[in-house]
């Protein structure tokens, strides 16, 4: 198993930046593709970004492409989400998740970190 702990959320104004971190423990981190998801109040959880095991393949939701950057440091067992030019509609609980088989099925989830963007 792998345990995931997110951090870095907070309250910011529109246009600001935040960097979320997700620290993993348990099995070797580079066994997992990693993803970020978010869930806004009253809405379903949606995909934000994904990074392959090596970090060589990145995928983004259309709504964040060009503003958010996913990255990973396998030596630190950590995945990051750099969020720039934040908008009020980015307000959500952000979750990181681990995909062990590389099939876009996420086996493990963190507890989430709140991001609130004021207008």
């Amino acid at each position: 198993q792998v345990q995931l702990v997110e951090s870095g959320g907070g309250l910011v104004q529109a246009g600001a930046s935040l960097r979320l971190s997700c620290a993993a423990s348990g099995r070797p981190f580079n066994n997992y593709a990693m993803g970020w998801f978010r869930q806004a109040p009253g809405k379903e959880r949606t995909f934000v970004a994904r990074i392959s095991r090596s970090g060589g393949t990145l995928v983004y939701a259309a709504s964040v492409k060009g503003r958010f950057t996913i990255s990973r440091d396998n030596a630190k067992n950590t995945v990051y989400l750099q969020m720039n030019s934040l908008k009020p509609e980015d307000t959500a609980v952000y979750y990181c998740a681990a995909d062990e088989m590389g099939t876009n099925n996420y086996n493990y989830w963190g507890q989430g970190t709140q991001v609130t963007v004021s207008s």
Side-chain angles (χ1 to χ4, degrees), residues 1-6 22-27 29 32 34 77 96-98 108-111:
Q1 284 194 350
V2 64
Q3 292 76 43
L4 304 172
V5 179
E6 301 96 335
C22 173
S25 60
R27 290 185 178 176
F29 183 61
Y32 300 87
M34 298 296 296
N77 294 345
C96 70
Y108 305 102
W109 294 82
Q111 83 289 348

PDB file of all heavy atoms in Angstrom, residues 1-6 22-27 29 32 34 77 96-98 108-111:
ATOM      1  N   GLN A   1       0.834  -1.201   0.000  1.00  0.00           N
ATOM      2  CA  GLN A   1       0.000   0.000   0.000  1.00  0.00           C
ATOM      3  C   GLN A   1       0.864   1.244   0.000  1.00  0.00           C
ATOM      4  O   GLN A   1       2.046   1.182   0.320  1.00  0.00           O
ATOM      5  CB  GLN A   1      -0.888   0.027   1.244  1.00  0.00           C
ATOM      6  CG  GLN A   1      -2.069  -0.922   1.169  1.00  0.00           C
ATOM      7  CD  GLN A   1      -3.087  -0.618   2.250  1.00  0.00           C
ATOM      8  OE1 GLN A   1      -2.840   0.167   3.146  1.00  0.00           O
ATOM      9  NE2 GLN A   1      -4.233  -1.245   2.152  1.00  0.00           N
ATOM     10  N   VAL A   2       0.251   2.355  -0.341  1.00  0.00           N
ATOM     11  CA  VAL A   2       0.922   3.642  -0.267  1.00  0.00           C
ATOM     12  C   VAL A   2       0.004   4.607   0.460  1.00  0.00           C
ATOM     13  O   VAL A   2      -1.213   4.555   0.303  1.00  0.00           O
ATOM     14  CB  VAL A   2       1.284   4.163  -1.677  1.00  0.00           C
ATOM     15  CG1 VAL A   2       0.056   4.428  -2.504  1.00  0.00           C
ATOM     16  CG2 VAL A   2       2.148   5.394  -1.576  1.00  0.00           C
ATOM     17  N   GLN A   3       0.585   5.447   1.285  1.00  0.00           N
ATOM     18  CA  GLN A   3      -0.163   6.466   2.000  1.00  0.00           C
ATOM     19  C   GLN A   3       0.188   7.818   1.394  1.00  0.00           C
ATOM     20  O   GLN A   3       1.352   8.092   1.096  1.00  0.00           O
ATOM     21  CB  GLN A   3       0.191   6.463   3.491  1.00  0.00           C
ATOM     22  CG  GLN A   3      -0.266   5.220   4.237  1.00  0.00           C
ATOM     23  CD  GLN A   3       0.600   4.006   3.971  1.00  0.00           C
ATOM     24  OE1 GLN A   3       1.831   4.105   3.952  1.00  0.00           O
ATOM     25  NE2 GLN A   3      -0.027   2.854   3.740  1.00  0.00           N
ATOM     26  N   LEU A   4      -0.845   8.640   1.233  1.00  0.00           N
ATOM     27  CA  LEU A   4      -0.682   9.933   0.574  1.00  0.00           C
ATOM     28  C   LEU A   4      -1.168  11.051   1.485  1.00  0.00           C
ATOM     29  O   LEU A   4      -2.269  10.949   2.045  1.00  0.00           O
ATOM     30  CB  LEU A   4      -1.475   9.964  -0.732  1.00  0.00           C
ATOM     31  CG  LEU A   4      -1.152   8.862  -1.739  1.00  0.00           C
ATOM     32  CD1 LEU A   4      -2.150   8.889  -2.898  1.00  0.00           C
ATOM     33  CD2 LEU A   4       0.265   8.994  -2.249  1.00  0.00           C
ATOM     34  N   VAL A   5      -0.378  12.101   1.609  1.00  0.00           N
ATOM     35  CA  VAL A   5      -0.745  13.240   2.450  1.00  0.00           C
ATOM     36  C   VAL A   5      -0.517  14.521   1.658  1.00  0.00           C
ATOM     37  O   VAL A   5       0.619  14.849   1.307  1.00  0.00           O
ATOM     38  CB  VAL A   5       0.070  13.268   3.749  1.00  0.00           C
ATOM     39  CG1 VAL A   5      -0.329  14.484   4.586  1.00  0.00           C
ATOM     40  CG2 VAL A   5      -0.133  11.986   4.544  1.00  0.00           C
ATOM     41  N   GLU A   6      -1.612  15.242   1.421  1.00  0.00           N
ATOM     42  CA  GLU A   6      -1.536  16.503   0.698  1.00  0.00           C
ATOM     43  C   GLU A   6      -1.286  17.667   1.655  1.00  0.00           C
ATOM     44  O   GLU A   6      -1.680  17.618   2.825  1.00  0.00           O
ATOM     45  CB  GLU A   6      -2.837  16.778  -0.071  1.00  0.00           C
ATOM     46  CG  GLU A   6      -3.235  15.736  -1.080  1.00  0.00           C
ATOM     47  CD  GLU A   6      -4.238  14.735  -0.531  1.00  0.00           C
ATOM     48  OE1 GLU A   6      -4.261  14.551   0.709  1.00  0.00           O
ATOM     49  OE2 GLU A   6      -4.991  14.143  -1.327  1.00  0.00           O
ATOM     50  N   CYS A  22       2.125  16.494  -2.363  1.00  0.00           N
ATOM     51  CA  CYS A  22       1.548  15.225  -1.925  1.00  0.00           C
ATOM     52  C   CYS A  22       2.710  14.300  -1.609  1.00  0.00           C
ATOM     53  O   CYS A  22       3.442  13.884  -2.518  1.00  0.00           O
ATOM     54  CB  CYS A  22       0.658  14.644  -3.001  1.00  0.00           C
ATOM     55  SG  CYS A  22       0.061  12.982  -2.652  1.00  0.00           S
ATOM     56  N   ALA A  23       2.871  14.012  -0.337  1.00  0.00           N
ATOM     57  CA  ALA A  23       3.960  13.144   0.106  1.00  0.00           C
ATOM     58  C   ALA A  23       3.468  11.713   0.212  1.00  0.00           C
ATOM     59  O   ALA A  23       2.409  11.454   0.794  1.00  0.00           O
ATOM     60  CB  ALA A  23       4.483  13.613   1.454  1.00  0.00           C
ATOM     61  N   ALA A  24       4.229  10.802  -0.354  1.00  0.00           N
ATOM     62  CA  ALA A  24       3.854   9.393  -0.364  1.00  0.00           C
ATOM     63  C   ALA A  24       4.778   8.588   0.531  1.00  0.00           C
ATOM     64  O   ALA A  24       5.973   8.873   0.639  1.00  0.00           O
ATOM     65  CB  ALA A  24       3.906   8.852  -1.789  1.00  0.00           C
ATOM     66  N   SER A  25       4.222   7.577   1.151  1.00  0.00           N
ATOM     67  CA  SER A  25       5.017   6.641   1.938  1.00  0.00           C
ATOM     68  C   SER A  25       4.470   5.243   1.704  1.00  0.00           C
ATOM     69  O   SER A  25       3.309   5.075   1.317  1.00  0.00           O
ATOM     70  CB  SER A  25       4.973   6.994   3.424  1.00  0.00           C
ATOM     71  OG  SER A  25       3.651   6.951   3.910  1.00  0.00           O
ATOM     72  N   GLY A  26       5.313   4.261   1.938  1.00  0.00           N
ATOM     73  CA  GLY A  26       4.895   2.890   1.697  1.00  0.00           C
ATOM     74  C   GLY A  26       5.739   2.278   0.595  1.00  0.00           C
ATOM     75  O   GLY A  26       6.952   2.305   0.658  1.00  0.00           O
ATOM     76  N   ARG A  27       5.117   1.757  -0.422  1.00  0.00           N
ATOM     77  CA  ARG A  27       5.834   1.132  -1.525  1.00  0.00           C
ATOM     78  C   ARG A  27       6.631   2.162  -2.317  1.00  0.00           C
ATOM     79  O   ARG A  27       6.356   3.347  -2.248  1.00  0.00           O
ATOM     80  CB  ARG A  27       4.842   0.421  -2.443  1.00  0.00           C
ATOM     81  CG  ARG A  27       4.222  -0.820  -1.806  1.00  0.00           C
ATOM     82  CD  ARG A  27       3.340  -1.543  -2.790  1.00  0.00           C
ATOM     83  NE  ARG A  27       2.770  -2.752  -2.210  1.00  0.00           N
ATOM     84  CZ  ARG A  27       1.910  -3.524  -2.843  1.00  0.00           C
ATOM     85  NH1 ARG A  27       1.518  -3.214  -4.075  1.00  0.00           N
ATOM     86  NH2 ARG A  27       1.440  -4.616  -2.264  1.00  0.00           N
ATOM     87  N   PHE A  29       7.840   4.872  -4.574  1.00  0.00           N
ATOM     88  CA  PHE A  29       7.009   5.904  -5.188  1.00  0.00           C
ATOM     89  C   PHE A  29       7.007   5.807  -6.701  1.00  0.00           C
ATOM     90  O   PHE A  29       5.984   6.056  -7.346  1.00  0.00           O
ATOM     91  CB  PHE A  29       7.528   7.269  -4.728  1.00  0.00           C
ATOM     92  CG  PHE A  29       6.740   8.436  -5.205  1.00  0.00           C
ATOM     93  CD1 PHE A  29       5.409   8.570  -4.867  1.00  0.00           C
ATOM     94  CD2 PHE A  29       7.338   9.414  -5.979  1.00  0.00           C
ATOM     95  CE1 PHE A  29       4.676   9.656  -5.291  1.00  0.00           C
ATOM     96  CE2 PHE A  29       6.610  10.510  -6.415  1.00  0.00           C
ATOM     97  CZ  PHE A  29       5.279  10.637  -6.062  1.00  0.00           C
ATOM     98  N   TYR A  32       4.285   4.180  -9.169  1.00  0.00           N
ATOM     99  CA  TYR A  32       2.950   4.714  -9.356  1.00  0.00           C
ATOM    100  C   TYR A  32       2.930   5.897 -10.307  1.00  0.00           C
ATOM    101  O   TYR A  32       3.739   6.823 -10.168  1.00  0.00           O
ATOM    102  CB  TYR A  32       2.371   5.186  -8.023  1.00  0.00           C
ATOM    103  CG  TYR A  32       2.267   4.100  -6.977  1.00  0.00           C
ATOM    104  CD1 TYR A  32       3.332   3.807  -6.139  1.00  0.00           C
ATOM    105  CD2 TYR A  32       1.108   3.360  -6.851  1.00  0.00           C
ATOM    106  CE1 TYR A  32       3.246   2.810  -5.200  1.00  0.00           C
ATOM    107  CE2 TYR A  32       1.005   2.355  -5.904  1.00  0.00           C
ATOM    108  CZ  TYR A  32       2.075   2.082  -5.081  1.00  0.00           C
ATOM    109  OH  TYR A  32       1.975   1.092  -4.151  1.00  0.00           O
ATOM    110  N   MET A  34       0.801   9.198 -10.923  1.00  0.00           N
ATOM    111  CA  MET A  34       0.124  10.015  -9.912  1.00  0.00           C
ATOM    112  C   MET A  34      -0.828  10.992 -10.581  1.00  0.00           C
ATOM    113  O   MET A  34      -0.595  11.475 -11.695  1.00  0.00           O
ATOM    114  CB  MET A  34       1.148  10.795  -9.099  1.00  0.00           C
ATOM    115  CG  MET A  34       2.127   9.920  -8.325  1.00  0.00           C
ATOM    116  SD  MET A  34       1.326   8.915  -7.068  1.00  0.00           S
ATOM    117  CE  MET A  34       0.701  10.182  -5.966  1.00  0.00           C
ATOM    118  N   ASN A  77       9.790  11.303  -2.949  1.00  0.00           N
ATOM    119  CA  ASN A  77       8.478  10.642  -2.854  1.00  0.00           C
ATOM    120  C   ASN A  77       7.344  11.653  -2.812  1.00  0.00           C
ATOM    121  O   ASN A  77       6.388  11.511  -2.040  1.00  0.00           O
ATOM    122  CB  ASN A  77       8.412   9.752  -1.602  1.00  0.00           C
ATOM    123  CG  ASN A  77       9.350   8.578  -1.667  1.00  0.00           C
ATOM    124  OD1 ASN A  77       9.860   8.236  -2.731  1.00  0.00           O
ATOM    125  ND2 ASN A  77       9.605   7.971  -0.532  1.00  0.00           N
ATOM    126  N   CYS A  96      -4.705  14.099  -4.145  1.00  0.00           N
ATOM    127  CA  CYS A  96      -3.773  13.368  -4.984  1.00  0.00           C
ATOM    128  C   CYS A  96      -4.131  11.887  -4.908  1.00  0.00           C
ATOM    129  O   CYS A  96      -4.767  11.427  -3.948  1.00  0.00           O
ATOM    130  CB  CYS A  96      -2.323  13.606  -4.597  1.00  0.00           C
ATOM    131  SG  CYS A  96      -1.816  12.882  -3.033  1.00  0.00           S
ATOM    132  N   ALA A  97      -3.735  11.162  -5.930  1.00  0.00           N
ATOM    133  CA  ALA A  97      -4.073   9.747  -6.031  1.00  0.00           C
ATOM    134  C   ALA A  97      -2.964   9.003  -6.756  1.00  0.00           C
ATOM    135  O   ALA A  97      -2.261   9.581  -7.596  1.00  0.00           O
ATOM    136  CB  ALA A  97      -5.399   9.577  -6.769  1.00  0.00           C
ATOM    137  N   ALA A  98      -2.836   7.722  -6.427  1.00  0.00           N
ATOM    138  CA  ALA A  98      -1.787   6.883  -7.003  1.00  0.00           C
ATOM    139  C   ALA A  98      -2.404   5.774  -7.842  1.00  0.00           C
ATOM    140  O   ALA A  98      -3.365   5.122  -7.415  1.00  0.00           O
ATOM    141  CB  ALA A  98      -0.927   6.283  -5.897  1.00  0.00           C
ATOM    142  N   TYR A 108      -5.158   4.474  -4.625  1.00  0.00           N
ATOM    143  CA  TYR A 108      -4.954   5.101  -3.331  1.00  0.00           C
ATOM    144  C   TYR A 108      -5.190   6.607  -3.437  1.00  0.00           C
ATOM    145  O   TYR A 108      -4.829   7.235  -4.436  1.00  0.00           O
ATOM    146  CB  TYR A 108      -3.523   4.837  -2.836  1.00  0.00           C
ATOM    147  CG  TYR A 108      -3.178   3.373  -2.797  1.00  0.00           C
ATOM    148  CD1 TYR A 108      -2.394   2.794  -3.789  1.00  0.00           C
ATOM    149  CD2 TYR A 108      -3.665   2.552  -1.783  1.00  0.00           C
ATOM    150  CE1 TYR A 108      -2.091   1.449  -3.767  1.00  0.00           C
ATOM    151  CE2 TYR A 108      -3.365   1.202  -1.751  1.00  0.00           C
ATOM    152  CZ  TYR A 108      -2.589   0.655  -2.750  1.00  0.00           C
ATOM    153  OH  TYR A 108      -2.301  -0.681  -2.727  1.00  0.00           O
ATOM    154  N   TRP A 109      -5.775   7.142  -2.352  1.00  0.00           N
ATOM    155  CA  TRP A 109      -6.153   8.551  -2.325  1.00  0.00           C
ATOM    156  C   TRP A 109      -5.686   9.198  -1.029  1.00  0.00           C
ATOM    157  O   TRP A 109      -5.686   8.561   0.026  1.00  0.00           O
ATOM    158  CB  TRP A 109      -7.676   8.682  -2.429  1.00  0.00           C
ATOM    159  CG  TRP A 109      -8.205   8.218  -3.744  1.00  0.00           C
ATOM    160  CD1 TRP A 109      -8.471   6.930  -4.123  1.00  0.00           C
ATOM    161  CD2 TRP A 109      -8.521   9.036  -4.868  1.00  0.00           C
ATOM    162  NE1 TRP A 109      -8.936   6.904  -5.411  1.00  0.00           N
ATOM    163  CE2 TRP A 109      -8.977   8.183  -5.898  1.00  0.00           C
ATOM    164  CE3 TRP A 109      -8.481  10.408  -5.110  1.00  0.00           C
ATOM    165  CZ2 TRP A 109      -9.378   8.655  -7.148  1.00  0.00           C
ATOM    166  CZ3 TRP A 109      -8.875  10.881  -6.345  1.00  0.00           C
ATOM    167  CH2 TRP A 109      -9.325  10.016  -7.352  1.00  0.00           C
ATOM    168  N   GLY A 110      -5.345  10.469  -1.132  1.00  0.00           N
ATOM    169  CA  GLY A 110      -5.079  11.254   0.052  1.00  0.00           C
ATOM    170  C   GLY A 110      -6.361  11.792   0.659  1.00  0.00           C
ATOM    171  O   GLY A 110      -7.456  11.556   0.134  1.00  0.00           O
ATOM    172  N   GLN A 111      -6.212  12.536   1.728  1.00  0.00           N
ATOM    173  CA  GLN A 111      -7.380  13.041   2.456  1.00  0.00           C
ATOM    174  C   GLN A 111      -7.875  14.370   1.898  1.00  0.00           C
ATOM    175  O   GLN A 111      -8.972  14.812   2.248  1.00  0.00           O
ATOM    176  CB  GLN A 111      -7.043  13.200   3.947  1.00  0.00           C
ATOM    177  CG  GLN A 111      -6.342  14.497   4.318  1.00  0.00           C
ATOM    178  CD  GLN A 111      -4.907  14.595   3.837  1.00  0.00           C
ATOM    179  OE1 GLN A 111      -4.312  13.618   3.395  1.00  0.00           O
ATOM    180  NE2 GLN A 111      -4.334  15.789   3.916  1.00  0.00           N
TER     181      GLN A 111
END
